[in-house]
Amino acid sequence: MAVITFAAFLVFVLPARSLVNDLRSRGVSVAAEVVSAPKNKYGGAGNVKVRFAGPDGEVDTELNDWGGERPEGLREGTAVLVTYDPREPTRVLTTDWVEDPPTVTLPMFVTAVLTPLLLGGAVALVVRRRKLLKTRS
């Protein structure tokens, strides 16, 4: 289980950092219109859809998540500054998150806390089992 939670942590961290690095190096900032800003089943931001002028015309896409989180406070019909990858315009984040991404998101935090707890539990279980087997011998 510790390996699985660590892998989940990496799934949240690595793609997000890679996206931010790519957008910082070659991203283009433009104003985008928020087409849809639904809430997920937990009341947080859902898949926010935006529309902006890309290199080959208008682009309709969803904002990428950052470590399992989406930007809060966006309302349908409002404008937001986004940064997109001109090579792949569907790779887009709010410019605020490109310049200053969240340090830790809830999914990152949960998996980072669970990994050492589960690893410690596994080690404690192995040590306890060895002690029991030694006393029986």
Side-chain angles (χ1 to χ4, degrees):
M1 290 301 287
V3 171
I4 292 170
T5 57
F6 183 68
F9 174 76
L10 293 178
V11 165
F12 289 126
V13 172
L14 296 179
R17 297 219 184 268
S18 173
L19 176 61
V20 167
N21 289 337
D22 289 349
L23 293 178
R24 282 181 179 169
S25 67
R26 65 175 177 261
V28 176
S29 293
V30 297
E33 177 190 359
V34 178
V35 177
S36 170
K39 298 286 184 191
N40 64 22
K41 65 182 179 181
Y42 304 110
N47 296 334
V48 178
K49 293 181 178 147
V50 294
R51 179 180 298 137
F52 59 91
D56 297 324
E58 198 168 84
V59 177
D60 283 314
T61 188
E62 291 179 357
L63 288 176
N64 290 89
D65 67 283
W66 197 95
E69 297 265 325
R70 304 220 183 248
E72 296 282 346
L74 298 177
R75 293 187 322 265
E76 190 174 323
T78 61
V80 62
L81 196 58
V82 298
T83 302
Y84 72 93
D85 185 344
R87 295 180 190 170
E88 194 177 335
T90 58
R91 296 182 72 207
V92 60
L93 279 176
T94 61
T95 301
D96 287 343
W97 277 15
V98 172
E99 293 172 355
D100 186 25
T103 306
V104 177
T105 63
L106 183 60
M108 284 181 193
F109 179 75
V110 168
T111 55
V113 168
L114 283 178
T115 298
L117 290 175
L118 291 171
L119 183 60
V123 169
L125 186 65
V126 167
V127 168
R128 175 80 173 133
R129 176 100 171 121
R130 286 181 160 257
K131 283 183 182 180
L132 286 175
L133 289 175
K134 280 185 180 181
T135 58
R136 286 188 182 175
S137 301

